[in-house]
């Protein structure tokens, strides 16, 4: 968002022209979606006059007004900031594509993986359906090398990254002139030959030395949110769903997996292997996934396998042995599983998320391998995406919560079915704590604390956090409380049936919910506006969990001087231990703010002796223990915290560890050195966002963790 700082020295005409330049764009720079006019003292009058003039001219609308009285040099001065937002000229806030005119119904990929060059090279053939009369196709790309385009067999002219359709956030539009104008309902085929860039942020390639087996290279992709455009020219919006087929060629003896059903056995050709895939259920571009490496599998159930490098496959099969149970509960709650197979791929440690719900092939982090199945709830989350996200998809990233809030609700309900209602309440309590942390990181008045933030022209990765997950879950809990659990679960099945195969936004959801419960007077009192567009924390539900109460009792004892004993937590769920450590971290921060960090620091060794935190194999517990040590400035565990930040590329752990490390000036040199040494092994989603921010120590909200 661009800010114009206004002074009283220049008139409104100057600032109107400046704002117009930003809002309309130039040949060199694309338009910005909104501008902020700000001024202090007498300049506030110019702010008001300029803002109203811009709105009157139709350039943009006033969407937010902020006032304040900042103090400078002991004196308070009035400050005014006005946000003006222009109409976005494209049908999706995060895309340049013209899917309102022409839609991609299906596509066929024919790609070869070239590890030496670090690229994928080949072609894509798009089957188009005209929605309106149109003679052009506009696709999203980022750093692709386009060599040839044909339309229905004839050569087609194209332009890449024209004025107003190129930006750092959204990449470059590929504009193709079709040989003839399409009428509504008419179909066409476009064939594009291209190659990806070696630095494509959707792709990570690991050298043999970075893999567990140390013999073969490894490749995997991560397209959410808007990175499919790095892999292929596409309509990179969740508002378009397409079927696809793929032929993937890789060096022998490597295996290729995709977010689709394999077709037959791979074919050996000249030292290479060709793999074939079909995805018959239409999916948005962000769910395209490719992995290639030395991979082995074990069967988990009648429709599931787990894949990993051979060295870890047995441990993976043990850890995820409850997968079929999760699926069965999911089908009972949400309806039929339509994807055929549900496989898991355990990726190398650099995978930046807990899981990614690619259809037919969920990607998961190896940090889930605790040895006791205690972290498999991530799989319950990703399985729930088979209904919410993959079948019923948010129309744009401005309503991402419709994917993640529903899925978070479903995850906790599945785990409640597995472990009891009291356990479900424990999970919800933990989620509420996480939500308050995420809101605090952005600030309670930040746009990104809304369930439905404005993201026009913004990289959605910059807005992602736990907020759409937990705040969305709390909204659904609120609605469930109004109508009752049984009726709400029936609504979820109706919701899936209504939106299956399609997309929805918050208003589609609201309208269908009100229609479904049209005979229920209480739903008419729901403050939809506040839930969808309110900033900061929502109203917290009343929670009652005996499991959480046990945690609070032990927390109070430890805070009061008790050293703890192994028996205290012997029969606990790991989620209880996580809550205990979260509470201790908050306590340590309070003590540190009061200059008493050393008192907590002096207790750590006793707690470790009682509970064995230094030696835990559970990544969630290890992370919280190290965050506690850093919060009370324990020098003896700084190296352990740095080691975890370097070894694990999961952003949920890595970003907060670095954030906490750099709070203490004496740890700053080590943190910088550690990041510089490790950033080459981090996934591009982590490294590209954070390199400068760690080294320069900018206190930026993009350190917020987008996904588990």
């Amino acid at each position: 968002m661009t800010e114009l700082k206004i002074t009283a020295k220049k008139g409104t005409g100057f600032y109107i022209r400046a704002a117009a330049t930003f809002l309309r764009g130039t040949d060199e720079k694309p338009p910005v979606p909104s501008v902020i006019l700000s001024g202090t003292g007498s300049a506030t009058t110019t702010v008001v006059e300029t803002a109203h003039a811009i709105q009157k001219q139709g350039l943009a609308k006033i969407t937010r007004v902020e006032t304040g009285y900042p103090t400078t040099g002991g004196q308070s001065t009035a400050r005014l900031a006005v946000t003006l937002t222009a109409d976005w000229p494209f049908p999706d806030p995060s895309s340049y594509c013209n899917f309102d005119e022409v839609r991609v119904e299906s596509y066929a990929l024919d790609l070869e993986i070239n590890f030496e060059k670090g690229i994928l090279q080949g072609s894509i053939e798009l089957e188009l359906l005209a929605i309106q009369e149109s003679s052009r196709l506009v696709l999203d790309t980022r750093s692709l090398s386009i060599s040839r385009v044909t339309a229905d067999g004839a050569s087609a002219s194209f332009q890449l990254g024209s004025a107003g359709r190129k930006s750092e956030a959204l990449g470059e539009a590929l504009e193709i002139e079709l040989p003839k104008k399409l009428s509504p309902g008419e179909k066409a085929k476009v064939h594009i030959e291209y190659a990806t860039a070696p630095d494509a942020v959707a792709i990570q390639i690991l050298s043999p030395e970075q893999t567990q087996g140390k013999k073969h290279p490894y490749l995997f992709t991560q397209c959410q949110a808007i990175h499919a455009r790095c892999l292929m020219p596409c309509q990179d919006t969740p508002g378009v769903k397409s079927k696809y087929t793929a032929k993937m060629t890789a060096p022998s003896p490597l295996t290729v997996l995709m977010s689709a059903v394999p077709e037959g056995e791979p074919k050996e050709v000249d030292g290479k292997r060709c793999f074939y895939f079909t995805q018959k259920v239409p999916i948005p571009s962000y769910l395209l996934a490719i992995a290639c490496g030395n991979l082995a599998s074990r069967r988990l159930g009648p429709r599931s396998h787990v894949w990993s490098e051979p060295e870890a496959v047995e441990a993976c099969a043990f850890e995820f042995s409850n997968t079929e149970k999760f699926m069965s509960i999911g089908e009972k709650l949400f309806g039929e599983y339509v994807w055929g197979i549900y496989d898991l791929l355990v990726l190398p440690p650099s995978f930046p998320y807990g899981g990614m719900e690619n259809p037919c092939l969920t990607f998961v982090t190896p940090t889930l391998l605790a040895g006791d199945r205690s972290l498999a709830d991530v799989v319950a989350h990703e399985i729930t995406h088979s209904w919410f996200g993959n079948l019923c998809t948010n129309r744009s990233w401005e309503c991402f919560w419709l994917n993640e809030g529903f899925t978070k609700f479903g995850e906790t309900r599945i785990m409640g079915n597995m472990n009891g209602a009291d356990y479900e309440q424990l999970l919800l309590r933990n989620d509420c704590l996480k939500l308050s942390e995420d809101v605090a990181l952005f600030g309670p008045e930040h746009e990104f604390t809304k369930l439905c933030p404005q993201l026009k022209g913004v990289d959605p990765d910059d807005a992602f956090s736990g907020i759409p997950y937990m705040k969305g879950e709390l909204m659904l809990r609120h609605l469930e409380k109004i109508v009752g659990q049984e009726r709400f679960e029936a609504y979820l099945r109706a919701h899936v049936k209504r939106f299956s195969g399609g997309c929805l936004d918050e208003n589609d959801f609201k309208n269908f919910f009100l229609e479904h419960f049209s005979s229920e007077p209480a739903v008419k009192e729901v403050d939809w506006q506040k839930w969808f567009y309110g900033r900061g924390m929502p109203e917290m539900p009343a929670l009652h969990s005996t499991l959480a109460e046990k945690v609070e009792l032990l927390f109070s004892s430890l805070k009061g001087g008790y050293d703890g004993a192994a028996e205290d937590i012997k029969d606990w769920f790991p989620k209880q231990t996580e809550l205990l450590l979260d509470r201790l971290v908050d306590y340590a921060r309070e003590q540190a703010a009061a200059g008493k960090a050393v008192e907590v620091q002096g207790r750590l060794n006793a707690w470790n002796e009682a509970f064995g935190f230094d030696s835990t194999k559970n990544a969630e517990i290890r992370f919280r223990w190290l965050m506690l040590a850093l919060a009370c400035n324990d020098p003896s565990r700084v190296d352990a915290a740095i080691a975890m930040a370097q070894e694990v590329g999961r952003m949920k752990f890595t970003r907060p560890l670095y954030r906490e490390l750099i709070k203490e000036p004496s740890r700053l040199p080590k943190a910088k050195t550690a990041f510089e040494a490790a950033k080459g092994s981090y996934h591009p989603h982590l490294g590209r966002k954070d390199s400068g921010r760690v080294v320069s120590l900018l206190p930026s909200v993009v350190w917020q963790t987008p996904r588990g």
Side-chain angles (χ1 to χ4, degrees):
M1 196 173 292
T2 301
E3 182 172 0
L4 292 176
K5 294 184 177 180
I6 290 178
T7 69
K9 295 179 180 179
K10 295 180 179 179
T12 58
F14 173 84
Y15 293 110
I16 292 170
R17 290 190 295 273
T21 300
F22 286 112
L23 292 165
R24 290 171 174 163
T26 66
D27 289 342
E28 292 76 28
K29 293 185 177 181
V32 299
S34 54
V35 295
I36 299 174
L37 307 179
S38 66
T40 58
S42 60
T44 57
T45 301
T46 309
V47 171
V48 172
E49 293 172 351
T50 305
H52 282 295
I54 289 171
Q55 181 166 267
K56 187 175 181 180
Q57 291 181 20
L59 284 171
K61 295 178 181 177
I62 296 172
T63 53
R64 184 171 173 79
V65 177
E66 297 176 84
T67 59
Y69 292 88
T71 301
T72 305
Q75 291 187 336
S76 295
T77 306
R79 180 183 183 274
L80 177 65
V82 178
T83 302
L84 294 114
T85 304
D87 291 333
W88 186 244
F90 312 112
D92 183 282
S94 307
S95 171
Y96 293 128
C97 70
N98 65 332
F99 69 94
D100 56 334
E101 298 175 359
V102 182
R103 188 161 298 201
V104 176
E105 287 200 309
S106 65
Y107 57 90
L109 289 166
D110 185 348
L111 297 173
E112 181 171 349
I113 298 170
N114 188 323
F115 280 103
E116 289 186 5
K117 294 183 178 180
I119 63 172
L120 279 65
Q121 188 167 15
S123 67
I124 183 171
E125 184 160 288
L126 306 155
E127 293 199 7
L128 310 177
L129 173 67
I131 308 301
Q132 303 178 31
E133 190 176 85
S134 181
S135 59
R136 65 177 189 145
L137 172 66
V138 183
L139 301 173
D140 293 303
T141 75
R142 186 190 294 278
S143 303
L144 295 181
S145 176
I146 309 293
S147 55
R148 186 166 180 261
V149 179
T150 61
D152 289 331
S155 180
S157 62
F158 64 90
Q159 187 176 13
L160 196 61
S162 64
R165 293 181 184 267
K166 179 179 181 180
S167 69
E168 182 180 352
L170 304 186
E172 308 87 36
L174 173 62
E175 299 174 75
I176 300 169
E177 291 298 322
L178 301 175
K180 70 182 189 73
K181 186 174 290 186
L182 298 179
S183 299
E186 194 172 356
K187 296 190 176 185
K189 288 186 178 181
V190 168
H191 185 89
I192 304 169
E193 296 175 11
Y194 73 97
T196 62
D199 60 351
V201 296
I203 303 170
Q204 183 169 28
I205 295 178
L206 303 175
S207 67
E209 294 74 25
Q210 292 175 298
T211 68
Q212 202 164 356
K214 310 297 182 185
K215 294 180 181 178
H216 302 283
Y218 198 117
L219 173 146
F220 65 90
T221 64
Q222 174 61 34
C223 289
Q224 195 180 45
I226 58 169
H227 305 303
R229 63 193 69 181
C230 301
L231 285 180
M232 60 181 182
C234 61
Q235 294 182 327
D236 201 6
T237 164
V240 172
K241 291 184 170 182
S242 311
K243 301 177 183 179
Y244 80 85
T245 61
K247 174 189 174 186
M248 297 294 304
T249 303
S252 184
L254 302 184
T255 295
V256 177
L257 301 174
M258 292 190 76
S259 54
V261 177
E263 297 287 350
E265 295 297 318
K267 296 179 180 179
E268 298 277 350
V269 181
D270 298 329
K272 299 176 182 178
R273 303 180 83 193
C274 298
F275 296 80
Y276 301 85
F277 302 89
T278 300
Q279 180 51 267
K280 296 180 180 179
V281 182
I283 62 171
S285 56
Y286 76 87
L287 291 177
L288 176 72
I290 305 167
C292 178
N294 182 31
L295 301 172
S297 70
R298 294 291 183 272
R299 180 174 287 277
L300 297 175
R303 46 192 167 175
S304 298
H305 287 77
V306 63
W307 294 82
S308 76
E309 292 188 68
E311 293 80 5
V313 72
E314 298 299 340
C316 295
F318 171 80
E319 206 72 36
F320 303 116
S321 58
N322 284 329
T323 297
E324 182 61 31
K325 291 181 181 178
F326 293 148
M327 294 182 70
S328 297
I329 296 171
E331 286 188 302
K332 176 184 173 184
L333 289 170
F334 315 126
E336 179 189 2
Y337 180 83
V338 304
W339 302 94
I341 62 173
Y342 183 84
D343 284 0
L344 293 158
L345 173 62
V346 182
L347 287 165
S350 60
F351 181 55
Y353 304 118
M356 179 62 209
E357 63 271 16
N358 309 306
C360 307
L361 185 70
T362 284
F363 285 0
V364 292
T365 169
T367 62
L368 303 183
L369 301 177
D372 58 2
R373 305 189 183 102
S374 60
L375 298 178
D377 57 327
V378 169
V379 176
H381 182 93
E382 305 308 334
I383 283 174
T384 306
H385 271 304
S386 302
W387 295 274
F388 304 109
N390 297 8
L391 269 185
C392 310
T393 309
N394 50 231
R395 193 178 302 280
S396 78
W397 298 114
E398 292 186 332
C399 49
F400 179 54
W401 80 272
L402 290 166
N403 280 15
E404 295 300 349
F406 273 82
T407 297
K408 190 65 180 172
F409 179 96
E411 170 203 335
T412 53
R413 184 54 48 86
I414 287 175
M415 297 310 298
N417 273 259
M418 292 279 286
N419 298 322
D422 195 59
Y423 184 77
E424 187 173 341
Q425 289 284 293
L426 171 70
L427 296 182
L428 192 56
R429 179 182 173 85
N430 290 4
D431 289 344
C432 289
L433 285 177
K434 178 68 168 65
L435 175 61
S436 64
E437 291 177 8
D438 287 1
V439 169
L441 272 174
F442 281 119
E445 290 301 311
H446 199 284
E447 177 73 17
F448 295 164
T449 64
K450 295 178 180 178
L451 270 186
C452 302
Q454 292 189 19
L455 299 178
K456 295 175 178 64
V458 175
D459 185 340
D461 282 352
D462 290 348
F464 280 6
S465 72
I467 292 168
Y469 295 68
M470 272 72 81
K471 195 170 183 177
E473 177 187 21
L474 290 181
M475 179 179 187
L476 298 179
R477 295 273 173 180
H478 176 71
L479 297 175
E480 182 182 52
K481 185 178 179 182
I482 292 172
V483 301
Q485 179 173 332
E486 185 176 342
R487 295 173 70 198
F488 189 75
E489 289 181 359
Y491 168 78
L492 293 177
R493 291 185 287 275
H495 178 100
V496 171
K497 187 175 181 180
R498 167 64 179 82
F499 297 109
S500 182
C503 304
L504 69 157
D505 60 23
E506 67 272 22
N507 290 315
D508 296 319
F509 161 60
K510 170 189 169 182
N511 293 337
F512 183 65
F513 185 87
L514 291 174
E515 175 188 322
H516 187 87
F517 290 107
S518 58
S519 61
E520 176 59 64
V523 301
K524 296 179 175 62
E525 303 303 316
V526 174
D527 190 343
W528 300 94
Q529 186 77 11
K530 185 176 180 181
W531 275 107
F532 291 157
Y533 312 115
R535 301 166 190 261
M537 291 291 291
E539 184 179 341
M540 290 289 100
L543 301 173
H544 304 285
S545 169
T546 57
L547 295 171
E549 288 169 3
K550 291 178 181 179
V551 174
E552 291 301 321
L553 285 172
L554 181 55
F555 168 65
S556 295
S557 298
L558 295 175
K559 194 169 63 168
Y562 175 55
D563 286 340
E567 291 75 19
D568 295 332
I569 64 171
K570 183 178 64 173
D571 299 322
W572 279 18
F573 288 103
K575 290 294 180 184
Q576 289 175 278
T577 308
E578 290 178 29
L579 177 58
L580 174 66
L581 286 166
D582 284 338
R583 298 286 283 126
L584 287 171
V585 169
D586 288 342
Y587 172 63
R589 287 174 176 157
E590 291 170 5
Q591 293 298 96
K596 300 178 182 179
V598 68
E599 296 180 13
V600 183
Q601 183 190 129
R603 310 292 310 288
L604 295 186
N605 287 337
W607 295 343
N608 177 59
E609 187 175 342
F611 306 126
F613 289 143
D614 276 341
S615 58
T616 183
K617 294 181 180 179
N618 184 305
E620 295 280 358
I621 293 173
R622 178 189 176 198
F623 162 70
R624 285 166 172 79
W625 173 241
L626 293 173
M627 288 291 284
L628 173 60
L630 294 176
C632 60
N633 200 20
D634 173 18
S636 69
R637 291 178 173 87
V638 170
D639 288 345
I642 287 175
M644 185 174 191
Q646 289 183 307
E647 295 163 8
V648 176
R650 186 178 177 187
M651 290 191 282
K652 178 181 183 180
F653 301 146
T654 304
R655 283 175 165 169
L657 283 168
Y658 278 118
R659 274 203 305 265
E660 201 67 36
L661 278 163
I662 63 179
K663 285 181 181 178
E664 170 54 47
S666 66
R667 301 191 296 239
L668 180 54
K670 272 193 171 184
K672 284 185 177 182
T673 302
F675 187 87
E676 284 298 317
K679 71 178 182 181
S681 65
Y682 291 144
H683 190 276
H685 286 206
L686 177 63
R688 80 183 180 96
K689 290 284 186 183
D690 298 323
S691 178
R693 292 178 175 92
V694 175
V695 175
S696 64
L697 301 181
L698 295 178
S700 172
V701 293
V702 296
W703 273 79
Q704 173 62 29
T705 305
R707 295 174 57 85

